[in-house]
């Protein structure tokens, strides 16, 4: 049923739950497994170039750790995970990536780092579900 699976991973607890669900589904369907981490745009009003460079380095270090952990979790289950770190706005970037690369399942956490509402459905997951070009599995 699912041949190409994309899991959104911002490193949050919700994303980790989504990753483990995506690994399970990929094993079950012998599907290709990818993850996407979206590096949001840098601060709009940086005081110095050094602040921009520092913010970029912090983001690169963070996503290097996130992708390494995800790849090791997949490897432990006998799967290969291809990681993509893409700059942009979370929803737009994930929707475009899923469409451009022909994914047939997007797996997302119920809430991640970018939650808009406190104890209700997160704005990012809600928008991804509504705009995604493929089926979406929301993991609570």
């Amino acid at each position: 049923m699912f041949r190409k699976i994309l899991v959104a991973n911002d490193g949050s607890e919700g994303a980790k739950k989504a990753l483990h669900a995506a690994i399970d589904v990929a094993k079950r369907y012998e599907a290709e497994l990818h993850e996407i981490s979206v590096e949001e745009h840098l601060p709009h009003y940086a005081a110095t170039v050094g602040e921009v460079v520092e913010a970029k380095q912090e983001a690169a270090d963070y996503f290097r750790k996130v992708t390494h952990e995800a790849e090791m979790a997949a490897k432990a289950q006998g799967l290969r995970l291809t990681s993509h770190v893409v700059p942009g706005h979370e929803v737009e970037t994930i929707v475009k990536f899923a469409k451009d690369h022909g994914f047939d399942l997007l797996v997302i956490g119920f809430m991640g780092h970018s939650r808009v509402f406190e104890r209700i459905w997160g704005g990012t997951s809600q928008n991804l579900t509504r705009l995604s070009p493929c089926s979406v599995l929301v993991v609570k």
Side-chain angles (χ1 to χ4, degrees):
M1 178 174 208
F2 300 114
R3 291 276 150 238
K4 198 168 181 185
I5 299 171
L6 178 64
V7 60
N9 189 355
D10 64 3
S12 66
E13 286 306 310
K16 289 175 185 176
K17 290 177 184 177
L19 172 66
H20 291 288
I23 289 170
D24 184 56
V25 173
K27 279 182 73 170
R28 186 172 309 228
Y29 289 101
E30 298 178 358
E32 186 177 325
L33 182 60
H34 294 251
E35 77 164 335
I36 185 169
S37 296
V38 179
E39 183 179 1
E40 294 187 69
H41 297 292
L42 295 172
H44 298 289
Y45 303 107
T48 66
V49 172
E51 285 182 23
V52 173
V53 171
E54 183 179 334
K56 285 188 82 148
Q57 186 60 50
E58 285 176 8
D61 292 344
Y62 177 77
F63 286 116
R64 190 175 304 111
K65 178 180 178 264
V66 167
T67 58
H68 177 74
E69 288 174 0
E71 289 167 358
M72 292 300 103
K75 186 176 181 178
Q77 296 298 315
L79 292 174
R80 180 178 181 269
L81 174 68
T82 303
S83 297
H84 309 272
V85 178
V86 182
H89 177 273
E90 284 180 333
V91 174
E92 290 174 20
T93 303
I94 294 169
V95 167
K96 183 175 182 343
F97 193 88
K99 181 179 180 183
D100 291 351
H101 294 89
F103 288 96
D104 52 20
L105 179 64
L106 172 62
V107 183
I108 60 175
F110 185 67
M111 283 195 181
H113 289 302
S114 300
R115 65 180 132 182
V116 176
F117 306 105
E118 279 298 314
R119 298 202 186 270
I120 59 175
W121 196 2
T124 300
S125 59
Q126 187 175 29
N127 286 327
L128 284 170
T129 301
R130 186 171 49 85
L131 298 171
S132 177
C134 60
S135 295
V136 179
L137 171 59
V138 180
V139 179
K140 287 181 108 178

